Amino acid sequence: MKMNVVTLLKDRGLFEDMTSPDLPKVLESPCTVYAGFDPSSDSLQAGNYVTIMVLRHFQRCGHKVIALVGGATGMIGDPSGKDAERALLDEETVIRNTEGIRENLSRFLDFDHPTAPAKLVNNMDWLGAYGFITFLRDVGKHFRMGAMLGRESVQRRLAGDSGMSYTEFSYQMLQAYDFLELRNREECIIQVGGSDQWGNITAGIELIRRLNGKQAYGLTVPLICDNQGQKFGKSEGNAMFLDASKTSQYDFYQFFLRSEDADVIRFLKVFTEVPLDDIEALAEEHGSHPERRVAHKRLAEEMTRAVHGEAGLSMAQAATGVLFGESMQGLKAEQLLGIFADVPSCELTHDDVSGQNILDVALRSGLCKSKGDARRLIQNGGLYLNNDRVSGVEQSVSDSDIIDGCLLVLKSGKRNYRLVRIS
RNA sequence: GGUGGGGUACUCAAGCGGCCAACGAGGGCAGACUGUAAAUCUGCUUGCUUUUGCAUACGGAGGUUCGAAUCCUUCCCCCACCA
């Protein structure tokens, strides 16, 4: 017999709250569940991955899952969890982002499942053409001001000093309506989301009850933070994207490999499908030999495989092996090219490089964003050419630095590599 | 529509005529120490040059002044209260 999905989520630290204690009982028979994804970027990030995992767990437990891309609501912006009004995205951007997210999601959910295939929907399909007057009459009528104003997300914004626009205030109606729509057309009775979605979810449940007299449920997932309380994977513009063109396999792998000790076991539970017993064993080994970093390696491995496939993983591992191992002396350009396949690279002409000052080369390669930036890096001793520390700003690149006449390897710090192909 | 308070670099937040490329904190980057961890310590954090400058920059546009983030005008935006 299958494990109840609620128990499973609890065990993995993926459960925060539910709207009714009856939910586990309801989930004993197959249900339809949905989660929404906001197209505020053209690629999902590691933070969204938690929600994807939850849907996967539901699917594994025999439930039907729907991933909703907020093509329409993305035009408005969800105020939940934000303390300032969000800049509106133009329609074109939202459409492009919606497509990107659609692509991302399709990699993680099973759309060909024999009994319960996943489904992807876009709320633009029903909200896009909904007239304002009609919407107010049909839907708005069922929302009470008191309840809307009482929402935590609204209250916090009103209490703060940035206030809130009517547009964002209306957001909760739209998401509530999504739930209603899915309840009607897909028999979807459960919505899952991050804990910041509680208000939006309950708004939907209430709307369904008022309009259809039917029961619906909500389940929330804790927001995943690192042990510093920072929102996961978003440490200042360093978001880990689930898209190789935005975050290379190598960087992705490295990100998880470098997780803090205090986080790694929890991350394994939350982000991967490694059985809990195995995680327990990893925790033990990590406890006695932290320097071996077995848990870190497993985490990075599982994540990279899930997101970038077996090929992506082996590339990332190969690169890691070389880059953190011995020097690169004696390696041929061809070998290096293979190893560095997914390390960010650029192409420069021979004249751009040969005889040029190292500052200019660092700048042209895109490793540094300005000459001043490059200069600082070198003065701090943080720039490496072919894994040898650059001694000073006067150093220049000579032909003998160019490996096999076609390759340079630049590095900033311990781990930010940049490959320069010479044409 | 009225009154009052605001808009400063990635974020928060000082500055309120020259000493301001702008205190401080956080974040980020780099160095040392380590286990590609944490904690700690150090340096950097607009661009170009070099260490002396130059150009941009304190919501937008004008103005006053030898000189403005700082004063004035006007516009835009945000907040609170009143209508």
Side-chain angles (χ1 to χ4, degrees):
Chain A
M1 124 151 218
K2 271 180 179 156
M3 195 182 198
N4 191 297
V5 67
V6 175
T7 317
L8 189 154
L9 293 177
K10 278 183 179 168
D11 287 347
R12 297 198 82 104
L14 283 168
F15 176 90
E16 169 100 11
D17 208 350
M18 54 189 167
T19 54
S20 156
D22 301 337
L23 186 56
K25 200 169 295 158
V26 173
L27 280 164
E28 274 166 19
S29 37
C31 298
T32 300
V33 55
Y34 100 92
F37 295 89
D38 180 41
S40 52
S41 160
D42 64 357
S43 164
L44 291 172
Q45 303 173 4
N48 304 111
Y49 194 70
V50 185
T51 313
I52 297 176
M53 283 312 299
V54 172
L55 288 184
R56 283 176 63 110
H57 288 308
F58 267 94
Q59 194 170 29
R60 281 204 309 171
C61 291
H63 303 288
K64 190 183 164 203
V65 304
I66 299 172
L68 179 149
V69 184
T73 37
M75 302 285 297
I76 302 302
D78 181 5
S80 306
K82 315 229 170 26
D83 42 14
E85 187 93 5
R86 153 174 151 183
L88 283 181
L89 299 171
D90 61 62
E91 194 169 350
E92 207 178 295
T93 310
V94 173
I95 290 173
R96 203 184 52 237
N97 292 352
T98 302
E99 271 318 301
I101 285 173
R102 214 178 237 286
E103 188 282 321
N104 285 171
L105 285 170
S106 66
R107 300 207 305 257
F108 305 113
L109 297 172
D110 185 356
F111 294 92
D112 304 312
H113 194 97
T115 52
K119 190 162 184 170
L120 200 57
V121 296
N122 182 347
N123 62 10
M124 193 52 121
D125 294 347
W126 55 84
L127 287 175
Y130 216 133
F132 188 57
I133 300 298
T134 328
F135 187 82
L136 287 181
R137 289 179 59 100
D138 293 354
V139 184
K141 200 69 181 163
H142 302 283
F143 281 83
R144 302 272 90 198
M145 284 306 291
M148 289 179 89
L149 285 168
R151 295 250 124 81
E152 201 266 346
S153 60
V154 174
Q155 279 299 310
R156 207 182 57 245
R157 281 283 285 277
L158 291 181
D161 52 6
S162 61
M164 180 181 227
S165 71
Y166 177 75
T167 302
E168 286 198 4
F169 177 63
S170 319
Y171 180 89
Q172 49 178 303
M173 286 201 287
L174 297 177
Q175 187 167 329
Y177 183 77
D178 283 343
F179 200 175
L180 175 69
E181 185 73 21
L182 289 175
R183 177 73 182 82
N184 290 337
R185 58 161 77 187
E186 304 285 349
E187 293 283 310
C188 174
I189 59 162
I190 302 158
Q191 180 178 178
V192 299
S195 51
D196 57 343
Q197 293 298 310
W198 182 264
N200 290 331
I201 294 173
T202 52
I205 292 173
E206 205 150 302
L207 183 65
I208 290 170
R209 209 201 46 214
R210 280 169 183 272
L211 232 52
N212 288 358
K214 290 185 179 160
Q215 181 68 260
Y217 304 89
L219 184 150
T220 55
V221 181
L223 226 54
I224 305 302
C225 297
D226 62 25
N227 69 81
Q228 315 272 313
Q230 293 287 326
K231 226 179 182 177
F232 180 79
K234 275 205 159 179
S235 48
E236 283 307 307
N238 278 349
M240 284 294 117
F241 290 98
L242 304 183
D243 203 314
S245 62
K246 306 201 85 172
T247 301
S248 76
Q249 288 100 322
Y250 169 75
D251 284 336
F252 191 84
Y253 181 85
Q254 285 288 323
F255 177 81
F256 287 98
L257 189 65
R258 285 175 4 236
S259 298
E260 293 180 22
D261 291 11
D263 292 323
V264 69
I265 297 302
R266 189 162 50 94
F267 286 177
L268 274 167
K269 287 186 189 166
V270 164
F271 289 119
T272 74
E273 290 175 3
V274 176
L276 288 172
D277 290 345
D278 293 9
I279 295 180
E280 197 50 50
L282 286 166
E284 252 173 60
E285 185 168 0
H286 177 260
S288 48
H289 292 287
E291 74 284 357
R292 286 185 195 160
R293 295 180 303 129
V294 279
H296 295 76
K297 283 178 189 157
R298 184 70 185 273
L299 174 67
E301 198 179 299
E302 293 287 337
M303 288 307 289
T304 313
R305 181 167 25 231
V307 174
H308 296 297
E310 205 62 59
L313 172 62
S314 36
M315 276 201 284
Q317 281 178 324
T320 295
V322 170
L323 303 184
F324 288 95
E326 62 296 344
S327 85
M328 46 201 297
Q329 287 202 344
L331 286 168
K332 288 282 185 212
E334 281 161 52
Q335 293 172 281
L336 289 169
L337 274 171
I339 292 159
F340 285 79
D342 65 325
V343 164
S345 69
C346 67
E347 213 149 309
L348 295 176
T349 65
H350 182 80
D351 292 347
D352 279 336
V353 174
S354 182
Q356 297 294 312
N357 185 278
I358 187 72
L359 287 173
D360 294 309
V361 178
L363 177 63
R364 288 190 191 127
S365 71
L367 183 67
C368 296
K369 64 180 200 288
S370 69
K371 272 177 117 165
D373 189 30
R375 192 185 310 268
R376 269 171 237 130
L377 190 64
I378 292 169
Q379 281 164 351
N380 285 327
L383 182 69
Y384 296 78
L385 173 62
N386 296 336
N387 268 4
D388 293 322
R389 181 176 282 181
V390 173
S391 52
V393 295
E394 326 74 32
Q395 189 170 329
S396 57
V397 178
S398 68
D399 280 342
S400 60
D401 293 321
I402 302 175
I403 302 165
D404 290 349
C406 65
L407 204 63
L408 279 182
V409 179
L410 291 173
K411 177 170 70 150
S412 152
K414 288 192 180 76
R415 49 213 177 213
N416 301 311
Y417 279 90
R418 191 141 209 127
L419 196 63
V420 182
R421 276 191 280 264
I422 316 284
S423 55

